[in-house]
Each structure stands twice: as structure tokens, then as C-alpha cells.
Amino acid sequence: MPSQSLITNNNMTSKQIIEAGKAILGIEFGSTRIKAVLIDPDNKPIAQGSHTWENQLVDGLWTYSTEAIWYGLQDCYAELRKNVMEQYDCEIETLAAIGFSAMMHGYMPFNDKGEIMVPFRTWRNTNTGKAAAELSELFNYNIPLRWSISHLYEAILDNEEHVPAIKFLTTLAGYVHWQVTGQKVLGVGDASGMIPVDPFTKTYDATMVAKFDKLIEPRGFSWKLLDILPKVLVAGENAGFLTPEGAMKLDVSGHLKAGIPVCPPEGDAGTGMVATNAVRQRTGNVSAGTSSFSMIVLEKPLSKPYEVLDMVTTPDGSLVAMVHCNNCTSEINAWVKMFKEYQELLGVKQSTNDLYTTLFNAALNGDADCGGLMAYNYVSGEPVTGLMDGRPLFVRSANDKFSLANFMRAQLYGAIGVLKIGNDILFNEEKVQVDRIMGHGGYFTTPKVGQLMLAAALNSPISVMETAGEGGAWGIALLAGYMVNSQLSLPDYLDKVVFAGNTGVEVAPTPEDVAGFNRYIENYKAALPIEKAAVEFKK
């Protein structure tokens, strides 16, 4: 039977909110799933939809086709409509606001006809080493392999035919937003993954733009950098309205009406910060799932550039030090799958979720340093440790304490080992101060276990909120709601309106666990040549 849902603070049921057009929609394109979340005026999720997809390796580069992008978006929205119909027996006709976000960085160049000129090159690609190195030296600023400017300059260095005809260059979120609103804009957080942003002007760094234009001037292109980049907007600004064509691209059933305001499109890093209330200076968050990254919001710029630290911004333009790791839980998932097969051989009936819980809790009984065991979760390359390809490895010596508890603890440590290496620079060398770090993602699904491991790694209390599981789609929905509902600063809006005192469940590290993780990571770094040798071995 359809549900009316609870009465909100606005004295309306969820059904009434949807029918009155007061609901807010957030859609995020993740690496493995496109998710839509519909929220009410109190910022609570009331419906959702999703679509599972996978990247493809085409001509040596990771990509998603434009056909997959639109099919995935439409299927995700159709699932949302279905969920609304099943719960509330009504249609979505209009909305208070919409927001789109997506995996950051990458390369989507378009010609004067609006046609994509090469397949979308995602953040996963590591073919931009020469370009990133040259630009990092030119700008005296760390330019990561996955940033859009690295992809653009690599295409220039490789003399790719399409480059002279580029009319517009954007990210995945910027592309979808452009197609449904007609506006070539980008939220400042996502823009900061294209080329560095000046935290004072909150747009592309003028000095670096000028250096890049001078660098490519001998090539004789008809464009300069600002000619082809999206306009930068900060959280709270209007980024356009859903066009009739955009409404049909989103809702092929034709029920959704045009004219809905749309907030600046953002990257998944920014929406993760919003979803964990970590946009204020001296706060941070760690997202740990298929990949992982930490975001620490800084009070001031770092003393110098670091190759393992990416400087991006919050959706309202504060400077953020980001440690991005290509791998996190995939190797854990592979081992759990094998344990599941063993269970089935024995005829043991246990759900996969319960198996994860059992194995994660077993890790709590392991030695603080994993008994000497080590795990490298490198399904793909890890630029932070200088490896362009990956081989998952489990390493031990004959005298190590080889037990299930230590094995699982080593896998959990290994999933965040690279994250620790990057953050040690921030906390130990730059003496960055943080008041609160929030965790979200699949790594934290089993209560307290992932929190304890990360707390030991970062030597800092880690908090997790129930709402963190809503993820980036909820985060971009909050940004859409912020655009139409508030005059507060974004940090104040999140503190006072959205979270209203909810600081989550905090877990602090023990001195023994911190010392144990430090021993583990020293062994991990010393044994990296083993991983390198495995990568270099061509089978």
C-alpha cells in the first residue's frame, strides 16, 4: 500500500511535498553507480533510484560512452519515479531545485557543433605523466595526472588531431549540466580539479592560466584557455534552469516540467564534504569505498607543493588538501568473495553482509601491527607511491603471526595505507590542525571497525554519521536546497540547518593502535620494491 510518509516540520506529508513541487533532487555519477536522491524541505531523503554501470577500457584508456551516460541517467531517474510511485502513488511533475555531481577531473572536449571529440577520459587514466610533470614545474604547484589540464596538455604534446578545434572542455558533471540547462558552468570544487583555483578570487588562477597560454602560444591554436573552460560558480549561486530539452533528457516519460532551478554542478569530492558536514576550515573527511580520498579544509596555503597532495576547494571556495588513492576496498571484497565460496562448500548459510561483519570484527582481535603481515590493495596503479600499474599482493615472512585476525587487519590497514602516507605529510610536516574528521563509504559499514583502523592511521578521532551513508547524491541535493533556501554561509547552513548539532559517533585511537599502524606503515614502505617488481613482471 502506498505510504504517505511522516509529517515534516512543514506540516506536509512526503506525498504532498512531491505533488506541490517542493522536493529537491540530487543525482551523482559515481564510478560504479549513478544514484538519485529526492529530499524534503527538512533535507531528509524521501525517495531514491540508482543505475549500476562500469567503465570500459577502449584503446588503452578508461571511458564511459555518452550513450552509457544518458542511458544510465534516464534509467536512474526512472527508478526514482518508480520508487515515488510505489511509496506515494504520485508523479514527479516539478521540483524546487536539482543538482548534478559526478566523479571529478577527466577530459571531455567538444567541437563547435557540441559533439564530443574523443571518448570521455576518466580520472582513472594515468597516461598523462609527461604533461603533469611539466605543468607541475611550470606552475610550481602539484598538478595530478587525472586533472583536466594534464589531459589537455598531454593531448597537445601527443599532437592529437582534435585539439585545435576544441570549443569547450568540461568534466562529466559539467557536461550533464550543460546538456540539461544550456549553461557552460562548473562549481568551484569541480573546477579546481580542472586547473588550480585561486581561493581568494574563487576562479581559475590567473597567473597559471597566463603561463599555460604562453606555453602553448607557439602552437597557434585559435583558442586560449579561458575560451574553452566553464565559468566558475560557488555554492548558492544559480547555475541555470532545466530546459524543455533537458527535462526530456532526464525524464523520458515526459512528466517532468522545465524551469526548475539547478545549482552549480559539483565533483564527488565536494559533495562528500557536504554530506559529512566537512566544509568548514579545520574539518576534514575521508571517503573510503572502491577508491579513497581524504579532504582536509585548510586555514592557509601549504608552505610548498607536494606531489602526493592535490589542492582543491570546498563548494564555497575554501582551500582543501586532498590525498587521492585509486584503490581501497576492492581487494577486501575479493577476499570476502573467496571466503564466501568456502562457506558455500561447507554448506554454511550466512549473508554476504553478515560475513563482512564477522571478518571485520575478527580484525579487532589482531595485533596492532598485524603481526608483521602486509597487504597491498593495488588493483590499479597508485601515483602516490609512484606505481602506474598495480598487482594486489599479500606479503609475510615465515616468522610472522599468521592468523585470520591479523590477515583481516592487514587487509583493512592496506586499504588505507596510501591514505596514511599522504596525510602524514599534512600532520607531521605541515603541522595542519584539524578539529573533526568524518568518515563515510563502504569501509565504515561495519560499526566502529573501519573507524578504529582509520583513527589509528591518522592518529585522530574519527566520526561517522548515519546520514553519511546517503553519500554524494544527498550532498548535491543539499547544495541544490542551499541555493534556494538559505542566505547563511555554507558552513553555517550545514551546522545550523542540515545537521543541527548532529556530530555523529566518534571513535578515538589508542596509543597502542597508533604505534602499531606506524610500525605497519614503515614495513609497508620498506617493502614497496616487492610491489614494484610484481608490477614490472609481465606475465
Side-chain angles (χ1 to χ4, degrees):
M1 180 175 179
S3 166
Q4 298 294 305
S5 188
L6 297 176
I7 302 292
T8 71
N9 292 340
N10 296 275
N11 296 316
M12 299 175 70
T13 64
S14 297
K15 177 182 174 73
Q16 290 169 334
I17 288 165
I18 294 167
E19 290 181 329
K22 295 182 179 295
I24 298 162
L25 175 61
I27 296 179
E28 180 158 280
F29 290 76
S31 298
T32 59
R33 187 169 64 145
I34 304 169
K35 185 176 180 182
V37 171
L38 200 65
I39 65 172
D40 64 21
D42 295 329
N43 302 300
K44 295 180 176 62
I46 55 176
Q48 65 179 25
S50 67
H51 170 82
T52 300
W53 69 341
E54 287 288 346
N55 54 192
Q56 304 296 319
L57 190 62
V58 178
D59 296 329
L61 295 172
W62 293 105
T63 187
Y64 301 85
S65 68
T66 53
E67 292 81 9
I69 292 168
W70 292 111
Y71 176 77
L73 176 63
Q74 290 161 4
D75 186 56
C76 177
Y77 187 84
E79 287 294 310
L80 175 71
R81 277 187 63 231
K82 180 181 177 183
N83 187 241
V84 166
M85 185 63 71
E86 288 174 347
Q87 288 194 79
Y88 312 114
D89 193 26
C90 64
E91 274 287 356
I92 306 170
E93 300 284 349
T94 188
L95 297 158
I98 302 176
F100 297 96
S101 65
M103 60 192 92
M104 290 177 68
H105 322 300
Y107 184 68
M108 297 190 81
F110 296 88
N111 61 21
D112 57 1
K113 296 178 182 177
E115 300 165 335
I116 194 163
M117 303 172 77
V118 295
F120 168 36
R121 297 172 183 175
T122 78
W123 61 271
R124 264 188 97 177
N125 291 296
T126 55
N127 63 307
T128 55
K130 181 174 173 59
E134 289 189 16
L135 292 175
S136 295
E137 183 176 355
L138 177 69
F139 296 155
N140 190 33
Y141 200 98
N142 179 43
I143 305 298
L145 300 176
R146 64 189 180 281
W147 280 18
S148 303
I149 195 70
S150 296
H151 284 279
L152 174 62
Y153 189 48
E154 190 65 43
I156 292 171
L157 292 176
D158 295 342
N159 295 309
E160 294 195 38
E161 293 181 4
H162 72 276
V163 174
I166 295 175
K167 291 297 182 184
F168 182 46
L169 176 64
T170 191
T171 64
L172 178 55
Y175 166 63
V176 173
H177 181 95
W178 166 43
Q179 291 294 300
V180 301
T181 67
Q183 301 299 310
K184 295 179 177 179
V185 299
L186 206 57
V188 64
D190 205 6
S192 67
M194 295 194 80
I195 184 173
V197 160
D198 184 330
F200 299 103
T201 65
K202 301 191 191 307
T203 189
Y204 306 112
D205 187 289
T207 301
M208 296 186 199
V209 168
K211 285 183 176 180
F212 185 83
D213 283 339
K214 185 176 180 181
L215 175 68
I216 66 169
E217 187 177 11
R219 304 267 179 173
F221 300 140
S222 61
W223 52 265
K224 291 189 175 181
L225 191 56
L226 292 185
D227 297 334
I228 63 172
L229 292 181
K231 178 183 177 183
V232 181
L233 300 176
V234 297
E237 291 189 86
N238 179 275
F241 299 87
L242 190 68
T243 63
E245 298 80 11
M248 284 301 299
K249 277 180 174 285
L250 184 56
D251 179 14
V252 294
S253 76
H255 286 89
L256 190 65
K257 294 179 173 62
I260 301 167
V262 187
C263 74
E266 265 299 349
D268 52 0
T271 58
M273 286 186 275
V274 171
T276 53
N277 191 17
V279 301
R280 192 181 293 280
Q281 292 178 2
R282 291 175 64 103
T283 65
N285 83 89
V286 171
S287 173
T290 305
S291 62
S292 69
F293 53 81
S294 64
M295 314 285 292
I296 306 298
V297 189
L298 304 177
E299 297 177 276
K300 60 182 181 180
L302 300 180
S303 64
K304 62 181 181 179
Y306 295 89
E307 190 174 348
V308 301
L309 298 176
D310 306 348
M311 305 308 295
V312 292
T313 78
T314 62
D316 62 340
S318 288
L319 199 62
V320 175
M322 178 181 190
V323 178
H324 184 280
C325 311
N326 285 353
N327 304 281
C328 187
T329 58
S330 294
E331 181 64 356
I332 294 174
N333 296 342
W335 281 105
V336 172
K337 181 181 178 183
M338 190 180 74
F339 285 125
K340 181 69 173 174
E341 291 176 3
Y342 179 61
Q343 275 189 336
E344 291 169 352
L345 282 174
L346 296 179
V348 175
K349 295 187 180 299
Q350 185 184 35
S351 72
T352 301
N353 286 341
D354 287 346
L355 177 58
Y356 272 99
T357 300
T358 300
L359 291 171
F360 272 50
N361 281 319
L364 297 179
N365 298 319
D367 295 309
D369 63 355
C370 307
L373 310 184
M374 281 184 296
Y376 295 93
N377 66 332
Y378 295 12
V379 175
S380 61
E382 276 296 353
V384 171
T385 48
L387 293 165
M388 294 301 102
D389 200 356
R391 297 285 187 275
L393 284 180
F394 171 65
V395 181
R396 70 182 182 98
S397 67
N399 296 324
D400 290 336
K401 298 177 184 177
F402 190 27
S403 67
L404 179 63
N406 279 336
F407 175 83
M408 284 308 302
R409 196 177 185 105
Q411 293 297 332
L412 286 164
Y413 276 16
I416 54 173
V418 178
L419 200 67
K420 175 176 172 58
I421 291 170
N423 278 283
D424 279 351
I425 294 172
L426 276 180
F427 300 133
N428 299 340
E429 297 184 31
E430 289 285 334
K431 309 300 181 185
V432 168
Q433 300 295 310
V434 181
D435 298 325
R436 183 182 75 238
I437 298 178
M438 304 298 300
H440 65 115
Y443 186 81
F444 304 103
T445 300
T446 301
K448 294 191 176 180
V449 178
Q451 280 178 268
L452 283 166
M453 302 301 163
L454 185 63
L458 302 187
N459 191 19
S460 170
I462 304 297
S463 297
V464 170
M465 288 185 277
E466 290 181 15
T467 51
E470 301 295 343
W474 185 58
I476 191 66
L478 295 180
L479 287 172
Y482 173 65
M483 175 186 67
V484 294
N485 289 330
S486 183
Q487 299 300 313
L488 297 171
S489 70
L490 182 59
D492 283 348
Y493 177 72
L494 294 175
D495 276 344
K496 298 176 181 178
V497 178
V498 177
F499 294 94
N502 177 14
T503 56
V505 177
E506 183 178 274
V507 170
T510 66
E512 294 79 12
D513 281 348
V514 171
F517 206 121
N518 285 336
R519 288 194 299 274
Y520 174 90
I521 207 68
E522 289 307 312
N523 290 334
Y524 180 102
K525 290 189 288 188
L528 272 170
I530 303 172
E531 173 68 24
K532 183 179 179 182
V535 168
E536 290 173 351
F537 172 70
K538 303 295 184 183
K539 58 181 179 179

